Amino acid sequence: MQYYGLIGHPLSHSFSKAYFEDKFKNEALDCFFVNFDIEKLESIKDIILQYPDLQGFTTTHPYKKAIFQYLSFIDRNAKEIGAVNVVKIDADKKLHGYNTDYIGFQELLEEAIEGKNINKAYICGTGGASEAVKFVLKKRDIRFEVLSRKDDSYQRLNNTGFHDNELIINATPVGMYPNSDDLLELPYATANSSNVFIDLIYNPEETRFMKEAKKYGASAFNGLKMLQLQAEAAWRIWSL
């Protein structure tokens, strides 16, 4: 039996395990998926020893950047993005890093902004997911601003409000189950029908971030499609 897994902390919100277990069952694959909820990334060494049939794993918060130190090979796109969410383990137990988040976000973005004339994006968050978002926006020539709690960028936006044809992306865990009542402090009341809100969270299906956007006429999308697409891309890498 081949093993695959997910590494992160915490993993109470994990999408991957259920998705891959369904895939393995539906396609009659002799594979098993394990959630590795680890508080320290160095535990990865013990996991590889304990699971000799582990073929690969995905990474989530907070290890998409930290995993680099354990990799023997890094795909060109992952290197440019600066984050890895898929790791393949070769026959010599060396780790190869890839990024499929950008593949998922790329298609989600196309759906979300179809028919819109987006001229600027705001990215909430500075973690690994936001790096994939920036990569895609650069390729689409959409200028963007990253909002971080480490500076006054959120306050500045709240002072000016949103303008027409702007895209707002939540790449933070704020509002994720079980903390579904949490909400980023943004000037939602200044949004309108020309604005698009994308929440990379998929649980709950409709976050408060999305509800507030819709309240003022903006369109809003969750991250489920992105997760499904990046998971399928991960499987293609593991199956090579």
Side-chain angles (χ1 to χ4, degrees):
M1 178 179 286
Q2 294 183 334
Y3 282 81
Y4 299 89
L6 170 68
I7 286 174
H9 180 76
L11 293 182
S12 58
H13 62 282
S14 171
F15 156 91
S16 298
K17 184 174 175 63
Y19 184 85
F20 280 108
E21 285 184 341
D22 284 346
K23 180 180 179 66
F24 298 155
K25 180 180 179 181
N26 293 335
E27 298 180 19
L29 298 171
D30 190 22
C31 302
F32 194 75
F33 198 93
V34 183
N35 274 352
F36 299 108
D37 192 330
I38 54 176
E39 294 187 14
K40 294 182 179 180
L41 187 54
E42 50 262 38
S43 300
I44 186 62
K45 298 175 182 177
D46 296 327
I47 289 171
I48 292 171
L49 288 174
Q50 292 169 17
Y51 290 83
D53 294 321
L54 185 65
Q55 307 297 306
F57 55 86
T58 53
T59 63
T60 188
H61 180 80
Y63 301 131
K64 290 185 180 185
K65 294 182 179 181
I67 192 67
F68 273 68
Q69 62 187 301
Y70 295 97
L71 303 176
S72 299
F73 167 83
I74 304 170
D75 174 72
R76 177 176 54 84
N77 285 332
K79 195 174 293 184
E80 185 176 343
I81 291 167
V84 160
N85 73 300
V86 176
V87 174
K88 182 175 183 177
I89 303 174
D90 69 17
D92 297 321
K93 301 303 178 186
K94 291 182 179 179
L95 308 185
H96 298 234
Y98 303 85
N99 190 296
T100 63
D101 279 338
Y102 84 92
I103 296 171
F105 181 72
Q106 199 165 250
E107 294 206 32
L108 171 59
L109 179 65
E110 293 299 324
E111 176 186 333
I113 68 172
E114 184 178 6
K116 301 280 188 180
N117 185 29
I118 298 298
N119 54 42
K120 183 178 180 180
Y122 292 99
I123 306 170
C124 304
T126 58
S130 71
E131 298 299 336
V133 169
K134 289 193 291 185
F135 180 78
V136 173
L137 292 177
K138 286 177 185 175
K139 289 193 173 298
R140 283 294 308 265
D141 291 322
I142 297 175
R143 62 191 179 96
F144 60 83
E145 180 179 345
V146 179
L147 305 179
S148 171
R149 296 185 185 279
K150 297 177 182 177
D151 55 36
D152 64 349
S153 52
Y154 278 103
Q155 186 57 52
R156 281 190 281 108
L157 177 58
N158 277 296
N159 290 340
T160 61
F162 296 121
H163 298 91
D164 290 349
N165 302 307
E166 290 184 335
L167 169 66
I168 302 90
I169 303 150
N170 177 26
T172 79
V174 175
M176 181 186 293
Y177 177 84
N179 301 310
S180 307
D181 289 333
D182 292 351
L183 179 66
L184 288 169
E185 293 185 17
L186 296 170
Y188 300 97
T190 64
N192 61 51
S193 60
S194 73
N195 298 130
V196 178
F197 285 64
I198 298 177
D199 199 332
L200 301 191
I201 294 170
Y202 68 94
N203 185 10
E205 185 175 340
E206 186 177 57
T207 61
R208 284 194 66 196
F209 173 85
M210 295 171 63
K211 289 176 181 177
E212 287 297 313
K214 289 180 178 179
K215 188 187 297 184
Y216 297 99
S219 55
F221 299 79
N222 69 22
L224 183 59
K225 181 173 185 175
M226 174 179 171
L227 282 165
Q228 292 170 337
L229 291 168
Q230 66 82 17
E232 283 303 315
W235 180 250
R236 290 194 294 271
I237 289 169
W238 292 333
S239 302
L240 290 176

